[in-house]
Coordinates of all heavy atoms in Angstrom, one line a residue:
M1 N -7.0 -2.1 -48.3 CA -7.8 -3.4 -48.4 C -7.9 -4.0 -47.0 O -7.0 -4.2 -46.2 CB -7.1 -4.4 -49.3 CG -8.0 -5.1 -50.2 SD -7.1 -6.2 -51.2 CE -8.2 -6.4 -52.4
T2 N -9.0 -4.5 -46.6 CA -9.2 -5.1 -45.3 C -9.3 -6.6 -45.5 O -9.4 -7.1 -46.5 CB -10.6 -4.6 -44.8 OG1 -11.7 -5.1 -45.6 CG2 -10.7 -3.2 -44.6
N3 N -8.9 -7.2 -44.4 CA -8.9 -8.7 -44.3 C -10.2 -9.2 -43.9 O -10.4 -9.7 -42.8 CB -7.7 -9.2 -43.4 CG -6.4 -8.8 -43.9 OD1 -6.2 -8.6 -45.1 ND2 -5.5 -8.6 -42.9
V4 N -11.2 -9.2 -44.7 CA -12.5 -9.7 -44.5 C -12.5 -11.1 -45.2 O -12.3 -11.3 -46.4 CB -13.5 -8.9 -45.1 CG1 -14.9 -9.5 -44.9 CG2 -13.5 -7.5 -44.5
P5 N -12.8 -12.1 -44.3 CA -12.9 -13.5 -45.0 C -14.1 -13.6 -45.9 O -15.1 -13.0 -45.7 CB -13.0 -14.5 -43.7 CG -13.5 -13.6 -42.6 CD -13.1 -12.2 -42.9
E6 N -13.8 -14.4 -47.0 CA -15.0 -14.5 -47.9 C -16.0 -15.5 -47.2 O -15.8 -16.3 -46.3 CB -14.4 -15.4 -49.1 CG -13.6 -14.5 -49.8 CD -13.0 -15.3 -51.2 OE1 -13.8 -16.0 -51.6 OE2 -12.0 -15.0 -51.6
K7 N -17.2 -15.3 -47.6 CA -18.4 -16.0 -47.0 C -18.3 -17.4 -47.1 O -18.7 -18.2 -46.2 CB -19.6 -15.5 -47.7 CG -20.9 -15.7 -46.9 CD -22.1 -15.0 -47.6 CE -23.3 -15.1 -46.7 NZ -24.4 -14.4 -47.1
D8 N -17.7 -18.0 -48.2 CA -17.6 -19.5 -48.4 C -16.6 -20.1 -47.5 O -16.7 -21.3 -47.2 CB -17.3 -19.7 -49.9 CG -18.3 -19.3 -50.8 OD1 -19.5 -19.2 -50.4 OD2 -18.0 -19.0 -52.0
N9 N -15.7 -19.2 -46.8 CA -14.6 -19.8 -46.0 C -15.1 -19.9 -44.6 O -14.4 -20.3 -43.7 CB -13.4 -19.1 -46.2 CG -12.7 -19.3 -47.6 OD1 -13.0 -20.3 -48.2 ND2 -11.9 -18.3 -47.9
V10 N -16.2 -19.3 -44.2 CA -16.7 -19.3 -42.8 C -17.2 -20.6 -42.5 O -18.1 -21.2 -43.1 CB -17.7 -18.1 -42.6 CG1 -18.3 -18.1 -41.2 CG2 -17.1 -16.8 -43.0
T11 N -16.7 -21.1 -41.4 CA -17.3 -22.4 -40.9 C -18.6 -22.1 -40.1 O -18.7 -21.3 -39.2 CB -16.3 -23.0 -39.8 OG1 -15.1 -23.1 -40.5 CG2 -16.8 -24.4 -39.4
P12 N -19.6 -22.8 -40.4 CA -21.0 -22.6 -39.8 C -20.9 -23.0 -38.3 O -20.1 -23.9 -37.9 CB -21.9 -23.5 -40.5 CG -21.1 -24.4 -41.2 CD -19.7 -23.8 -41.5
L13 N -21.7 -22.3 -37.5 CA -21.7 -22.6 -36.0 C -22.3 -23.9 -35.7 O -21.9 -24.7 -34.9 CB -22.5 -21.5 -35.3 CG -21.8 -20.2 -35.3 CD1 -22.7 -19.1 -34.5 CD2 -20.4 -20.1 -34.7
R14 N -23.3 -24.3 -36.5 CA -24.0 -25.6 -36.4 C -24.3 -26.1 -37.7 O -24.4 -25.5 -38.7 CB -25.4 -25.3 -35.8 CG -25.6 -24.6 -34.5 CD -27.0 -24.4 -34.2 NE -27.1 -23.7 -33.0 CZ -27.7 -22.5 -32.8 NH1 -28.1 -21.9 -33.9 NH2 -27.7 -22.0 -31.7
P15 N -24.3 -27.4 -37.8 CA -24.6 -28.1 -39.1 C -26.1 -27.8 -39.4 O -27.0 -27.7 -38.6 CB -24.4 -29.5 -38.9 CG -24.6 -29.7 -37.4 CD -24.1 -28.4 -36.8
T16 N -26.4 -27.6 -40.8 CA -27.8 -27.4 -41.2 C -28.5 -28.6 -41.0 O -28.1 -29.7 -41.3 CB -27.8 -26.8 -42.6 OG1 -27.2 -27.7 -43.5 CG2 -27.2 -25.5 -42.7
R17 N -29.8 -28.5 -40.5 CA -30.6 -29.6 -40.4 C -31.9 -29.3 -41.1 O -32.3 -28.1 -41.3 CB -30.8 -29.9 -38.9 CG -29.6 -30.3 -38.2 CD -29.9 -30.9 -36.8 NE -28.7 -31.3 -36.2 CZ -28.5 -31.5 -35.0 NH1 -29.5 -31.3 -34.1 NH2 -27.3 -31.9 -34.5
P18 N -32.8 -30.3 -41.4 CA -34.0 -30.0 -42.0 C -34.9 -29.3 -41.0 O -34.9 -29.6 -39.8 CB -34.6 -31.3 -42.3 CG -33.6 -32.4 -42.0 CD -32.4 -31.8 -41.3
C19 N -35.7 -28.3 -41.5 CA -36.7 -27.6 -40.8 C -37.7 -28.7 -40.2 O -38.1 -29.5 -41.1 CB -37.3 -26.6 -41.6 SG -38.7 -25.7 -40.8
P20 N -38.0 -28.6 -38.9 CA -39.1 -29.5 -38.5 C -40.5 -29.4 -39.0 O -41.3 -30.2 -39.0 CB -39.1 -29.3 -37.0 CG -38.3 -28.1 -36.7 CD -37.6 -27.8 -37.9
E21 N -40.7 -28.2 -39.7 CA -42.1 -27.9 -40.2 C -42.1 -28.3 -41.7 O -43.1 -28.9 -42.0 CB -42.4 -26.4 -40.1 CG -42.7 -26.0 -38.7 CD -43.8 -26.7 -38.0 OE1 -44.8 -26.9 -38.7 OE2 -43.7 -27.0 -36.8
C22 N -41.2 -27.9 -42.4 CA -41.3 -28.1 -44.0 C -40.1 -28.9 -44.5 O -40.3 -29.4 -45.7 CB -41.4 -26.8 -44.7 SG -39.8 -25.8 -44.5
G23 N -39.1 -29.2 -43.9 CA -38.0 -30.0 -44.3 C -37.0 -29.3 -45.1 O -35.9 -29.9 -45.4
K24 N -37.0 -28.0 -45.3 CA -36.0 -27.2 -46.0 C -34.8 -27.1 -45.0 O -35.0 -27.3 -43.8 CB -36.5 -25.9 -46.4 CG -37.5 -25.9 -47.5 CD -38.0 -24.4 -47.8 CE -39.2 -24.4 -48.9 NZ -39.6 -23.0 -49.0
P25 N -33.6 -26.8 -45.6 CA -32.4 -26.6 -44.6 C -32.7 -25.5 -43.7 O -33.3 -24.5 -44.0 CB -31.3 -26.3 -45.6 CG -31.7 -26.8 -47.0 CD -33.2 -26.7 -47.0
S26 N -32.2 -25.6 -42.5 CA -32.5 -24.6 -41.4 C -31.6 -23.4 -41.7 O -30.6 -23.4 -42.4 CB -32.1 -25.1 -40.1 OG -30.7 -25.6 -40.1
A27 N -32.0 -22.2 -41.2 CA -31.3 -21.0 -41.4 C -30.7 -20.6 -40.0 O -31.2 -20.8 -39.0 CB -32.1 -19.9 -41.8
R28 N -29.5 -19.9 -40.0 CA -28.9 -19.5 -38.8 C -29.8 -18.6 -37.9 O -29.8 -18.8 -36.7 CB -27.6 -18.8 -39.2 CG -26.8 -18.3 -37.9 CD -25.5 -17.7 -38.3 NE -24.5 -18.7 -38.6 CZ -23.3 -18.3 -38.8 NH1 -22.9 -17.1 -38.8 NH2 -22.4 -19.3 -39.1
A29 N -30.4 -17.7 -38.6 CA -31.3 -16.7 -37.8 C -32.4 -17.3 -37.1 O -32.9 -16.8 -36.1 CB -31.6 -15.6 -38.7
T30 N -33.0 -18.3 -37.8 CA -34.2 -18.9 -37.1 C -34.0 -20.4 -36.8 O -34.9 -21.1 -36.7 CB -35.3 -18.8 -38.2 OG1 -34.9 -19.5 -39.4 CG2 -35.7 -17.4 -38.5
Y31 N -32.8 -20.7 -36.4 CA -32.5 -22.2 -36.2 C -33.4 -22.8 -35.1 O -33.6 -22.0 -34.1 CB -31.1 -22.3 -35.7 CG -30.5 -23.7 -35.6 CD1 -30.2 -24.4 -36.7 CD2 -30.6 -24.4 -34.3 CE1 -29.5 -25.6 -36.5 CE2 -30.1 -25.7 -34.2 CZ -29.7 -26.3 -35.3 OH -29.2 -27.6 -35.3
P32 N -34.0 -23.9 -35.1 CA -33.7 -25.0 -36.1 C -34.7 -24.9 -37.3 O -34.8 -25.8 -38.1 CB -34.1 -26.2 -35.4 CG -35.1 -25.8 -34.4 CD -34.7 -24.4 -34.0
F33 N -35.4 -23.8 -37.5 CA -36.3 -23.6 -38.6 C -35.7 -22.9 -39.8 O -34.6 -22.4 -39.7 CB -37.6 -22.8 -38.1 CG -38.2 -23.4 -36.9 CD1 -37.9 -23.0 -35.6 CD2 -39.1 -24.4 -37.0 CE1 -38.6 -23.6 -34.5 CE2 -39.7 -25.0 -36.0 CZ -39.5 -24.6 -34.7
C34 N -36.4 -23.0 -40.9 CA -35.8 -22.4 -42.2 C -36.2 -21.0 -42.3 O -35.6 -20.2 -43.0 CB -36.2 -23.3 -43.3 SG -38.0 -23.1 -43.7
S35 N -37.2 -20.6 -41.7 CA -37.8 -19.2 -41.8 C -38.7 -18.8 -40.6 O -38.9 -19.6 -39.7 CB -38.7 -19.0 -43.0 OG -39.8 -19.9 -42.8
Q36 N -38.9 -17.5 -40.5 CA -39.7 -17.0 -39.4 C -41.1 -17.6 -39.5 O -41.7 -17.8 -38.4 CB -39.7 -15.5 -39.4 CG -40.4 -14.7 -38.3 CD -39.7 -15.1 -37.0 OE1 -38.5 -15.0 -36.9 NE2 -40.4 -15.4 -35.9
R37 N -41.6 -17.8 -40.7 CA -42.9 -18.4 -40.8 C -43.0 -19.7 -40.2 O -43.9 -20.0 -39.4 CB -43.3 -18.5 -42.3 CG -44.7 -19.1 -42.6 CD -44.9 -19.4 -44.0 NE -46.1 -20.2 -44.1 CZ -46.2 -21.5 -43.9 NH1 -45.1 -22.2 -43.4 NH2 -47.3 -22.2 -44.0
C38 N -42.0 -20.5 -40.5 CA -42.1 -21.9 -39.9 C -41.9 -21.8 -38.4 O -42.6 -22.6 -37.6 CB -41.0 -22.8 -40.4 SG -41.4 -23.4 -42.2
K39 N -41.2 -20.9 -37.9 CA -41.0 -20.7 -36.4 C -42.3 -20.3 -35.8 O -42.7 -20.7 -34.8 CB -39.9 -19.6 -36.2 CG -39.3 -19.5 -34.8 CD -38.2 -18.6 -34.8 CE -37.5 -18.6 -33.4 NZ -36.4 -17.6 -33.5
D40 N -43.0 -19.4 -36.5 CA -44.4 -18.9 -36.0 C -45.3 -20.0 -36.0 O -46.2 -20.1 -35.1 CB -44.8 -17.7 -36.7 CG -43.9 -16.4 -36.5 OD1 -43.2 -16.5 -35.4 OD2 -43.9 -15.6 -37.4
V41 N -45.3 -20.8 -37.0 CA -46.3 -22.0 -37.2 C -46.1 -22.9 -35.9 O -47.1 -23.3 -35.3 CB -46.1 -22.7 -38.5 CG1 -46.8 -24.1 -38.3 CG2 -46.7 -21.9 -39.6
D42 N -44.8 -23.2 -35.6 CA -44.6 -24.1 -34.5 C -45.0 -23.5 -33.2 O -45.5 -24.1 -32.3 CB -43.1 -24.4 -34.5 CG -42.8 -25.3 -33.4 OD1 -43.0 -26.5 -33.4 OD2 -42.1 -24.9 -32.3
L43 N -44.8 -22.2 -32.9 CA -45.1 -21.4 -31.7 C -46.6 -21.4 -31.7 O -47.1 -21.7 -30.5 CB -44.6 -20.0 -31.7 CG -45.0 -19.1 -30.6 CD1 -44.4 -19.7 -29.3 CD2 -44.6 -17.7 -30.9
N44 N -47.3 -21.2 -32.7 CA -48.8 -21.3 -32.7 C -49.3 -22.7 -32.3 O -50.3 -22.7 -31.5 CB -49.4 -20.9 -34.0 CG -50.9 -20.8 -34.0 OD1 -51.5 -20.3 -33.1 ND2 -51.5 -21.4 -35.0
R45 N -48.7 -23.7 -32.7 CA -49.1 -25.0 -32.3 C -48.9 -25.3 -30.7 O -49.7 -25.9 -30.1 CB -48.3 -26.1 -33.1 CG -48.8 -26.1 -34.6 CD -48.2 -27.2 -35.3 NE -48.6 -27.2 -36.6 CZ -48.0 -27.8 -37.7 NH1 -46.9 -28.4 -37.5 NH2 -48.5 -27.7 -38.9
W46 N -47.9 -24.8 -30.3 CA -47.6 -24.9 -28.8 C -48.6 -24.1 -28.0 O -49.2 -24.5 -27.1 CB -46.3 -24.3 -28.5 CG -45.2 -25.4 -28.6 CD1 -44.1 -25.5 -29.6 CD2 -44.9 -26.6 -27.8 NE1 -43.4 -26.5 -29.4 CE2 -43.8 -27.3 -28.3 CE3 -45.5 -27.0 -26.7 CZ2 -43.3 -28.3 -27.7 CZ3 -45.0 -28.3 -26.0 CH2 -43.9 -28.9 -26.7
L47 N -48.9 -22.8 -28.4 CA -49.8 -21.9 -27.8 C -51.2 -22.4 -27.8 O -52.1 -22.1 -26.9 CB -49.7 -20.4 -28.2 CG -48.3 -20.0 -27.9 CD1 -48.2 -18.5 -28.5 CD2 -48.0 -19.8 -26.5
S48 N -51.6 -23.1 -29.0 CA -53.1 -23.4 -29.2 C -53.3 -24.9 -28.4 O -54.4 -25.3 -28.4 CB -53.4 -23.5 -30.7 OG -52.6 -24.5 -31.3
G49 N -52.2 -25.5 -28.0 CA -52.4 -26.8 -27.4 C -52.3 -28.0 -28.3 O -52.7 -29.1 -27.9
S50 N -51.9 -27.8 -29.5 CA -51.7 -28.9 -30.5 C -50.7 -29.8 -30.0 O -50.8 -31.1 -30.2 CB -51.4 -28.4 -31.9 OG -52.5 -27.6 -32.3
Y51 N -49.6 -29.4 -29.4 CA -48.6 -30.2 -28.8 C -48.9 -30.4 -27.4 O -49.1 -29.5 -26.5 CB -47.3 -29.5 -28.9 CG -46.7 -29.3 -30.3 CD1 -46.0 -28.2 -30.6 CD2 -46.8 -30.2 -31.3 CE1 -45.4 -27.9 -31.9 CE2 -46.4 -30.1 -32.6 CZ -45.7 -28.9 -32.9 OH -45.2 -28.7 -34.0
V52 N -49.1 -31.6 -26.9 CA -49.4 -31.9 -25.5 C -48.4 -33.0 -25.0 O -48.2 -33.9 -25.7 CB -50.8 -32.5 -25.4 CG1 -51.2 -32.9 -24.0 CG2 -51.8 -31.5 -26.0
I53 N -47.9 -32.8 -23.8 CA -47.0 -33.8 -23.2 C -48.0 -34.6 -22.3 O -48.6 -34.1 -21.4 CB -45.9 -33.1 -22.3 CG1 -45.1 -32.2 -23.2 CG2 -45.2 -34.1 -21.5 CD1 -44.1 -31.3 -22.4
P54 N -48.1 -35.9 -22.7 CA -48.9 -36.8 -21.9 C -48.5 -36.9 -20.4 O -47.3 -37.0 -20.2 CB -49.0 -38.1 -22.7 CG -47.6 -38.0 -23.5 CD -47.3 -36.6 -23.6
G55 N -49.5 -37.0 -19.6 CA -49.2 -37.3 -18.2 C -49.7 -38.6 -17.8 O -50.4 -39.4 -18.6
S56 N -49.5 -39.0 -16.6 CA -50.0 -40.4 -16.2 C -51.4 -40.3 -15.6 O -51.8 -39.1 -15.5 CB -49.1 -40.9 -15.1 OG -49.1 -40.1 -13.9
E57 N -52.1 -41.4 -15.5 CA -53.4 -41.4 -15.0 C -53.5 -40.8 -13.6 O -54.5 -40.2 -13.2 CB -53.9 -42.9 -14.9 CG -54.1 -43.5 -16.3 CD -55.4 -42.9 -17.0 OE1 -56.3 -42.6 -16.3 OE2 -55.3 -42.9 -18.3
E58 N -52.5 -41.0 -12.8 CA -52.5 -40.4 -11.4 C -52.4 -38.8 -11.4 O -53.0 -38.3 -10.5 CB -51.3 -40.9 -10.7 CG -51.2 -42.4 -10.5 CD -49.9 -42.9 -10.0 OE1 -49.0 -42.1 -9.8 OE2 -49.8 -44.1 -9.8
D59 N -51.9 -38.3 -12.4 CA -51.8 -36.8 -12.5 C -53.1 -36.2 -13.1 O -53.2 -35.0 -13.0 CB -50.6 -36.4 -13.4 CG -49.3 -36.8 -12.8 OD1 -49.3 -37.0 -11.5 OD2 -48.3 -36.8 -13.5
A60 N -54.0 -36.9 -13.7 CA -55.1 -36.5 -14.3 C -56.0 -35.7 -13.4 O -56.5 -34.7 -13.7 CB -55.8 -37.6 -15.1
N61 N -56.5 -36.3 -12.3 CA -57.4 -35.7 -11.4 C -56.9 -35.7 -10.0 O -57.3 -36.5 -9.2 CB -58.7 -36.4 -11.5 CG -59.4 -36.3 -12.7 OD1 -59.4 -35.1 -13.4 ND2 -60.0 -37.3 -13.3
P62 N -56.0 -34.8 -9.6 CA -55.4 -34.8 -8.3 C -56.4 -34.5 -7.2 O -56.4 -34.8 -6.0 CB -54.4 -33.7 -8.3 CG -54.6 -32.8 -9.4 CD -55.4 -33.7 -10.4
D63 N -57.6 -33.7 -7.5 CA -58.6 -33.5 -6.6 C -59.5 -34.6 -6.1 O -60.1 -34.6 -5.0 CB -59.5 -32.4 -7.1 CG -58.7 -31.0 -7.3 OD1 -57.7 -30.8 -6.6 OD2 -59.2 -30.3 -8.2
D64 N -59.5 -35.7 -6.9 CA -60.3 -36.9 -6.6 C -59.9 -37.5 -5.4 O -60.6 -38.2 -4.7 CB -60.4 -37.7 -7.7 CG -61.2 -37.2 -9.0 OD1 -62.0 -36.2 -8.7 OD2 -61.0 -37.8 -10.0
D65 N -58.6 -37.5 -5.1 CA -58.0 -38.2 -3.9 C -58.4 -37.5 -2.6 O -58.4 -38.1 -1.5 CB -56.5 -38.3 -4.0 CG -56.1 -39.2 -5.2 OD1 -56.9 -40.0 -5.7 OD2 -54.9 -39.0 -5.7
E66 N -58.7 -36.2 -2.6 CA -59.0 -35.5 -1.4 C -60.3 -35.7 -0.9 O -60.6 -35.4 0.2 CB -58.8 -34.0 -1.7 CG -57.3 -33.6 -2.0 CD -57.1 -32.2 -2.3 OE1 -58.0 -31.4 -2.2 OE2 -56.0 -31.8 -2.7
R67 N -61.3 -36.2 -1.7 CA -62.7 -36.4 -1.3 C -62.9 -37.6 -0.6 O -62.4 -38.6 -0.4 CB -63.6 -36.3 -2.5 CG -63.6 -35.0 -3.1 CD -64.5 -35.0 -4.3 NE -64.2 -33.8 -5.1 CZ -64.7 -33.5 -6.2 NH1 -65.6 -34.2 -6.7 NH2 -64.5 -32.4 -6.8

């Protein structure tokens, strides 16, 4: 017999948190998301420009100051 700990006795590495996409509990393999699908949805939003970090007015047109 081997000394393999039972799955219920393993302390999780991180506390589960709600998935930022759907609110279900997060999974270890796709943390902080609950599934690969939710992870891919978030990545698509970043790549398509849905998430934007706002800049200041000064950063909007740096070429205007050179003219």
Side-chain angles (χ1 to χ4, degrees):
M1 219 181 203
T2 60
N3 292 334
V4 178
E6 291 184 28
K7 196 172 191 177
D8 295 334
N9 293 338
V10 176
T11 305
L13 296 176
R14 306 178 180 112
T16 58
R17 295 191 176 160
C19 174
E21 291 299 320
C22 68
K24 293 180 183 176
S26 61
R28 180 181 281 184
T30 55
Y31 190 82
F33 303 98
C34 69
S35 65
Q36 187 63 41
R37 181 194 168 280
C38 284
K39 194 173 184 178
D40 290 342
V41 167
D42 184 71
L43 177 61
N44 183 47
R45 288 183 180 160
W46 278 105
L47 295 176
S48 67
S50 295
Y51 295 142
V52 178
I53 300 171
S56 65
E57 292 285 330
E58 297 169 359
D59 294 340
N61 294 320
D63 295 333
D64 290 344
D65 295 337
E66 294 176 9
R67 294 180 191 176

